[in-house]
Amino acid sequence: MRRRWVQLLRLSGYELWHERWIALCSACVLAASLAPLLVLWGLEQGVVGTMIDRLERDPVMRQLLPDGAPARRFDEAWFGQVRRWPGVEFAMPNTRAIANQVDLFAEGADTPLKVDLLPTAAGDPLLAGSALPPPGTVMLGALAARRLKVEAGARVTLALERQREGRGEHAAVSLTVAGVLPEVRSERPEALAPMALLETVQAWRDGYTVPAWHAEGNGPSPQVADHPLFRIYARSIRDVRGLAMKMEADGIPVFTRAREIESTLGLQRNLRAILAVTAAVVVTGAVAAVAALQIASLRRKRREHALLKLTGHGSKWLVGVASLGALGVATLGLLLSFAAYGVMAAFINQRFAPDFAAAESTMRLDVASAALAVAGTVLVAVLPAAWGGWRASRVDAADELRES
């Protein structure tokens, strides 16, 4: 068996070398068809893929927030149910908006900064791997830290005021900056803190006594059993629309970035549809051209095929010789195609490098797409050759030699 394979490879190699100029032309036809498709597909994956990756990495694009003041309150049982929904990555309660707006002072800042104080817990996408801020600390967003001129480890003061029994009261709480969130995770002046801090701020503003702050009030704060607001994040931007529709059907209006997400995903779908149509036209032309070259080559070699049949080489040999020769042509065409793609990718990526981050690129091609291109090229080249080899094996060798 090994000797038969060696002989088959030698025959195919000799035939390919004998027809080297025709083989080169066939390879160039394949390369001229495949290389533009690789470039277009690389641009789609690079430009549009980068846009989608940026949206996926931005937690703000995946969040669902109450739109206005919901007419209902949400207890822990409701949050437990939501956390089990497919597509939900993170869900936690939030206090009233009045407790979320606080003023922060820092020694290096000229004026106080009004920030959104958000509750956080383990798994919060805004943290994205950062440590959970312990009690007595806050995690500042990049914008808030920049305006307050502070870094991790600095001290800030949370200032509050309220009206109780006709007189104004003030409170000042010193907090440590546990860390600063990257710019991509925070687009507004905001700070993350444990839920207990927000509930304490809410209780103080409602006029209750807060022993931790040595603040007198109208008695102890009642235990919080439910909340009016929430923070929910989808696992992917593709889950946002479905979750929003589910909540809207439940009578809970939510604010999302679904319109921006759908605009980008729609652009990707449209580009892929255009690429599919273009690929169909190009592949049809390539199949016709390669098949014509293969059939013409096989017709010229009818005498050689007849001699092979008379020397005991059956139809499998003729099909194998033709298929292996076409595989060699396909390999050469693929090498030319990927070389052309590599040159274009290097030029375009370097040209637009200032507009992309270090890990991003204008043109890129994933392994699955490259494998699909290889498989398609092999099929386009080998199938016509195999069919031609089978047709050649059906011809009567004696008649063919008499005619030649």
Side-chain angles (χ1 to χ4, degrees):
M1 181 62 69
R2 181 180 177 183
R3 292 180 60 188
R4 291 173 66 86
W5 274 105
V6 171
Q7 186 179 5
L8 180 62
L9 290 173
R10 289 177 62 187
L11 282 174
S12 300
Y14 289 149
E15 183 183 42
L16 193 62
W17 177 251
H18 181 70
E19 301 284 340
R20 55 188 177 276
W21 294 114
I22 295 177
L24 180 61
C25 291
S26 300
C28 289
V29 169
L30 289 174
S33 304
L34 182 60
L37 290 179
L38 292 177
V39 171
L40 291 175
W41 193 251
L43 285 171
E44 188 277 333
Q45 290 191 4
V47 177
V48 181
T50 296
M51 293 170 59
I52 293 176
D53 290 343
R54 288 178 178 178
L55 296 184
E56 290 282 11
R57 292 195 303 267
D58 187 358
V60 175
M61 301 303 299
R62 296 184 282 114
Q63 69 180 355
L64 294 89
L65 298 175
D67 191 6
R72 56 184 287 187
R73 297 178 69 88
F74 310 97
D75 56 17
E76 188 56 37
W78 183 84
F79 283 102
Q81 178 185 2
V82 170
R83 292 185 187 109
R84 292 190 294 270
W85 287 357
V88 173
E89 178 183 5
F90 179 78
M92 75 169 299
N94 199 356
T95 57
R96 298 197 313 270
I98 192 173
N100 293 346
Q101 293 284 327
V102 298
D103 291 326
L104 291 182
F105 291 81
E107 188 174 329
D110 300 327
T111 58
L113 177 67
K114 187 173 291 295
V115 302
D116 293 326
L117 191 62
L118 304 177
T120 188
D124 190 339
L126 290 181
L127 293 176
S130 301
L132 190 67
T137 67
V138 291
M139 182 78 71
L140 292 180
L143 182 58
R146 186 166 59 249
R147 291 183 179 178
L148 289 171
K149 301 178 183 179
V150 296
E151 298 177 348
R155 304 288 293 182
V156 294
T157 300
L158 187 151
L160 302 169
E161 60 181 21
R162 70 180 180 184
Q163 293 291 325
R164 187 174 69 88
E165 298 178 353
R167 64 178 184 275
E169 296 180 346
H170 301 270
V173 183
S174 180
L175 301 170
T176 302
V177 178
V180 178
L181 298 174
E183 193 84 38
V184 69
R185 300 183 211 159
S186 174
E187 61 179 11
R188 300 178 301 173
E190 56 191 14
L192 300 179
M195 187 67 183
L197 177 60
L198 276 83
E199 291 180 343
T200 303
V201 170
Q202 180 174 265
W204 189 87
R205 281 180 164 162
D206 288 343
Y208 294 110
T209 301
V210 180
W213 294 355
H214 307 289
E216 296 296 330
N218 303 325
S221 172
Q223 185 175 1
V224 179
D226 50 35
H227 293 83
L229 302 176
F230 52 77
R231 291 179 59 218
I232 296 177
Y233 290 84
R235 294 188 184 278
S236 167
I237 57 175
R238 292 173 172 82
D239 297 320
V240 171
R241 185 177 182 85
L243 292 176
M245 293 175 62
K246 188 177 183 66
M247 300 194 77
E248 295 278 356
D250 200 25
I252 306 171
V254 292
F255 169 79
T256 68
R257 300 293 185 87
R259 181 175 297 179
E260 299 173 48
I261 294 170
E262 287 301 315
S263 176
T264 304
L265 295 179
L267 175 62
Q268 183 185 53
R269 288 193 296 269
N270 292 336
L271 283 177
R272 287 185 173 178
I274 293 172
L275 281 173
V277 173
T278 305
V281 174
V282 170
V283 168
T284 301
V287 169
V290 172
L293 288 172
Q294 295 282 5
I295 293 172
S297 176
L298 289 169
R299 288 183 64 84
R300 287 197 315 275
K301 293 180 289 186
R302 288 179 298 177
R303 184 173 183 277
E304 288 80 359
H305 291 161
L307 289 173
L308 284 174
K309 290 187 66 175
L310 288 177
T311 54
H313 296 82
S315 59
K316 292 181 179 179
W317 279 89
L318 294 178
V319 172
V321 169
S323 299
L324 286 176
L327 185 60
V329 171
T331 301
L332 180 58
L334 285 168
L335 291 176
L336 293 174
S337 301
F338 281 106
Y341 167 80
V343 171
M344 288 298 298
F347 171 76
I348 292 175
N349 286 333
Q350 184 178 8
R351 171 65 179 79
F352 295 98
D355 300 325
F356 290 82
E360 298 175 342
S361 56
T362 311
M363 280 183 64
R364 67 186 185 200
L365 201 63
D366 58 25
V367 176
S369 299
L372 180 63
V374 170
T377 303
V378 169
L379 288 176
V380 167
V382 171
L383 288 181
W387 177 80
W390 178 81
R391 286 291 304 273
S393 68
R394 302 294 96 187
V395 176
D396 185 85
D399 291 342
E400 186 63 39
L401 290 174
R402 278 198 300 272
E403 292 177 3
S404 60

